[in-house]
């Protein structure tokens, strides 16, 4: 899928200020780039998940990090649209979100999978355990690692250097939707079918339902 040059950053930010559930399928095919000291890597997004905040009384989202309100960790989700929310999970993985919705209203899109379209060699170095190119960014932890993203980038503007976001020329023609991956409880049910992916794309991650937990639940 081809992409067109990014519009004015503020116009793009206004676009991202919409409802996460409506934006998620429209972001499929968009390209997110990160220019680091090591080089530039760009990923064409093929799978995303929408998460809302505590303000939506009609659709409270028990799968969201903001379900119980703001904390220092989830603060970027309440910030301006177009910024990054990167979190560390299970003591070993980073996952990347693009914040959306109006400022002060928490919502974000978890970037679940993508295709490396620039910086293949650098992505291979970062993801040395990958067996083929389709695996390099297939899953949120793999995508974040391929892009070289850690919590140090949480709160940074994805619409300004060293980042860049380019929207697709046209919406993806074949889009599937289903429950979010690894979300326990009601947030992972069919009532929250807020995961969207390009149908048949080889980079899309495999669906895994959350395992029941007796202890405190880990969101996402």
């Amino acid at each position: 899928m081809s992409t067109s040059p990014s519009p004015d950053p503020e116009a793009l930010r206004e676009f991202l200020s919409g409802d996460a559930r409506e934006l998620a399928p429209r972001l499929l095919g968009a390209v997110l780039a990160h220019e680091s000291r090591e080089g530039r890597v760009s990923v064409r997004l093929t799978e995303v998940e929408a998460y809302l905040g505590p303000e939506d009384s009609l659709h409270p989202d028990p799968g969201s990090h903001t379900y119980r309100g703001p904390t220092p960790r989830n603060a970027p989700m309440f910030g301006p649209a177009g910024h990054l929310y990167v979190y560390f999970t299970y003591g070993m993985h980073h996952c990347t979100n693009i914040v959306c919705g109006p400022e002060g209203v928490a919502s974000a899109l978890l970037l679940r999978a993508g295709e490396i379209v620039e910086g293949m060699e650098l992505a291979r170095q970062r993801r040395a355990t990958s067996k083929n190119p389709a695996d390099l960014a297939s899953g949120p932890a793999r995508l974040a690692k391929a892009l070289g993203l850690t919590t140090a980038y949480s709160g940074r503007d994805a619409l300004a250097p060293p980042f860049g976001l380019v929207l697709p020329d046209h919406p993806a023609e074949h889009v599937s939707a289903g429950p979010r991956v690894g979300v326990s409880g009601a947030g992972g049910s069919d009532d929250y079918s807020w995961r969207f992916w390009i149908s048949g794309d080889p980079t899309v991650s495999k669906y895994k339902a959350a395992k029941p937990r007796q202890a405190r639940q880990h969101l996402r």
Side-chain angles (χ1 to χ4, degrees):
M1 181 181 296
S2 61
T3 55
S4 57
S6 293
D8 178 286
E10 293 314 307
L12 185 51
R13 202 177 313 282
E14 182 176 355
F15 168 78
L16 292 171
S17 296
D19 188 299
R21 295 160 295 184
E22 297 177 2
L23 289 172
R26 299 175 68 183
L27 223 64
L28 295 173
V31 174
L32 177 64
H34 177 213
E35 181 88 42
S36 69
R37 293 180 180 179
E38 301 169 291
R40 182 181 179 89
V41 174
S42 299
V43 174
R44 180 181 69 92
L45 303 176
T46 60
E47 181 184 6
V48 299
E49 286 179 339
Y51 288 87
L52 302 184
E55 302 86 2
D56 194 324
S57 59
L58 295 178
H59 296 91
D61 186 356
S64 175
H65 284 179
T66 62
Y67 184 56
R68 293 180 175 84
T71 67
R73 180 198 190 198
N74 66 33
M77 281 187 67
F78 292 86
H83 285 232
L84 297 175
Y85 168 46
V86 185
Y87 64 89
F88 193 56
T89 185
Y90 297 116
M92 58 193 303
H93 298 306
H94 290 93
C95 297
T96 302
N97 299 257
I98 292 181
V99 176
C100 52
E103 186 171 359
V105 178
S107 63
L109 300 174
L110 174 64
L111 309 184
R112 281 209 56 86
E115 174 194 9
I116 304 297
V117 294
E118 185 180 11
M120 179 66 73
E121 288 307 311
L122 178 54
R124 284 181 181 273
Q125 292 174 25
R126 290 171 173 166
R127 289 275 306 124
T129 58
S130 290
K131 303 300 182 182
N132 61 67
D135 289 338
L136 288 171
S138 181
R142 295 176 180 183
L143 185 149
K145 191 166 186 179
L147 282 171
L149 297 178
T150 68
T151 52
Y153 292 98
S154 196
R156 295 285 297 274
D157 190 352
L159 310 184
F163 301 99
L165 181 66
V166 181
L167 298 177
D169 288 333
H170 306 285
E173 293 183 2
H174 303 289
V175 175
S176 298
R180 297 178 295 193
V181 176
V183 178
S184 58
S189 70
D190 289 335
D191 292 335
Y192 293 84
S193 291
W194 298 347
R195 178 172 65 98
F196 301 86
W197 65 94
I198 297 177
S199 306
D201 193 288
T203 66
V204 173
S205 65
K206 295 180 180 179
Y207 173 75
K208 294 181 180 180
K211 295 181 180 180
R213 296 178 181 275
Q214 295 181 350
R216 180 182 177 184
Q217 293 180 344
H218 292 274
L219 303 182
R220 273 190 272 173

